[in-house]
Amino acid sequence: MDQSLKAALSLQLTPGVGPKTFGSLVRAFGSAEAVWRAASADLAEVSGVGPKLVEQLRMARDGHLAEAELAWCGANGVRVIAGGHPAYPESLSRIIDPPAILFSQGDLIPQDQLAIAVIGSRQCTLYGRQQAERLAAGLA
């Protein structure tokens, strides 16, 4: 298992870590792997990281959530792509607070540079889900 992918996915799956906090942590420590090696006091120095999030990070260090997620993805033909990987879409990496991890099925091809994607949330509201479906249907 790619340890950098596992570290990034573990960080992404930690409750309370969104794109901005993910980016802040990785910028502060240099990589997702380094975040997991950081002391709690050092984590608390990062903007937006308070005691509750430090505790969430401490509890998520074992990586079990990421292992389970990667196993499910592997069994269901879902590709997991971390930012910085050659397969990560270049145009997506240029937006403010890009998603740290992408889940995809199928291949990304050069013609996809002109594609439109609807990127959702794992914990969206009913309204958010309805709007994503409406947007996707309109785009299709």
Side-chain angles (χ1 to χ4, degrees), residues 7-83:
L9 186 56
S10 292
L11 189 55
Q12 169 101 14
L13 293 173
T14 301
V17 175
K20 287 184 181 185
T21 303
F22 185 100
S24 295
L25 287 164
V26 170
R27 280 189 297 278
F29 297 101
S31 71
E33 290 174 290
V35 171
W36 296 117
R37 292 190 299 269
S40 294
D42 294 332
L43 292 169
E45 300 263 330
V46 176
S47 176
V49 178
K52 287 175 73 174
L53 186 51
V54 169
E55 180 63 18
Q56 290 290 341
L57 289 164
R58 191 185 67 71
M59 291 187 316
R61 279 190 173 149
D62 63 18
H64 282 52
L65 284 176
E67 289 172 2
E69 188 77 10
L70 289 168
W72 185 92
C73 288
N76 290 281
V78 176
R79 187 171 178 198
V80 183
I81 307 167

Side-chain angles (χ1 to χ4, degrees), residues 116-120 127-140:
I116 295 175
V118 177
I119 299 174
Y127 175 77
R129 180 171 289 134
Q130 290 169 340
Q131 294 308 307
E133 289 174 0
R134 185 181 65 78
L135 287 169
L139 290 169

